[in-house]
Amino acid sequence: MMKIELVKNTRDTFSEFDNILFAFSEKQLNTVPFKDSWTAGQVAEHMINALAGLPRLMGGPAEISGRNPGEKIKAIEDLFLDFNIKMQSPDFILPSAGPHQKESLLHSVEGSKKAMLEALEIDLSLCCNGAELPGFGKLTRLEWVHFFLAHTQRHTQQLKNIFQTFKK
């Protein structure tokens, strides 16, 4: 995917997330919609928590990977965009109990989008040494970008599902 397409995909992904998050009332944002679910505010906080490490990861130690920099993209997207799979969050990005404030979350999402767009300006072919994605090992910066986009898209869908429960 060319850089122009990545920028567009990033903007579109975050715009869709913003739009659905904005649609929630403050009360809905902090209401558990169904058994064993996070609130919409918790989903948003989790996504923000996941993206918080992006600047450090992308700016951290990296090396030439010796493989196609996008080799693992399809497998990452196939997994994270399969909405039939229930996943467990790592503890370090679990959300708080809340309450969550919509304006604060939207502001943080905007910061996350800015960090993603800035990350697109560096050499995406290099392999990051600062972290591994469980099941995938070390990723290139390009693969991390696709992971963060797929992760955001996954939680956008989750927010849409939660929002539908309030329309019934």
Side-chain angles (χ1 to χ4, degrees):
M1 185 179 280
M2 306 244 339
K3 194 171 281 194
I4 292 170
E5 293 174 63
L6 271 177
V7 169
K8 181 182 181 329
N9 192 7
T10 299
R11 291 185 190 282
D12 291 349
T13 295
F14 278 88
S15 178
E16 191 173 3
F17 189 90
D18 280 348
N19 288 340
I20 189 63
L21 185 60
F22 187 79
F24 285 89
S25 70
E26 292 286 333
K27 181 179 179 190
Q28 291 169 336
L29 194 70
N30 291 291
T31 301
V32 175
F34 44 84
K35 187 178 183 323
D36 298 326
S37 175
W38 285 344
T39 67
Q42 287 174 308
V43 171
E45 182 188 351
H46 164 75
M47 197 274 299
I48 293 162
N49 290 348
L51 283 158
L54 176 73
R56 182 183 47 78
L57 176 65
M58 299 297 258
E63 62 189 10
I64 295 172
S65 69
R67 62 178 176 78
N68 174 340
E71 181 179 296
K72 299 179 182 181
I73 292 171
K74 181 174 179 351
I76 291 167
E77 290 177 344
D78 285 349
L79 178 64
F80 282 88
L81 297 177
D82 182 344
F83 303 121
N84 294 314
I85 297 172
K86 177 117 169 110
M87 296 184 174
Q88 290 293 104
S89 172
D91 290 346
F92 69 96
I93 57 173
L94 283 172
S96 66
H100 296 87
Q101 297 178 331
K102 184 164 55 172
E103 282 304 313
S104 176
L105 292 171
L106 288 167
H107 179 74
S108 294
V109 170
E110 184 61 30
S112 296
K113 178 178 81 175
K114 183 178 178 209
M116 278 287 288
L117 291 170
E118 287 173 3
L120 299 179
E121 298 303 317
I122 60 177
D123 184 350
L124 298 178
S125 70
L126 297 179
C127 190
C128 295
N129 291 329
E132 292 187 15
L133 185 61
F136 293 93
K138 288 185 180 179
L139 301 180
T140 63
R141 289 171 173 164
L142 179 63
E143 291 163 340
W144 276 114
V145 165
H146 281 271
F147 161 76
F148 284 116
L149 289 173
H151 184 256
T152 303
Q153 291 163 3
R154 180 178 186 81
H155 290 301
T156 299
Q157 184 60 45
Q158 187 178 8
L159 286 177
K160 288 177 180 179
N161 292 343
I162 291 171
F163 191 72
Q164 287 303 312
T165 67
F166 295 114
K167 294 181 98 180
K168 293 178 181 179

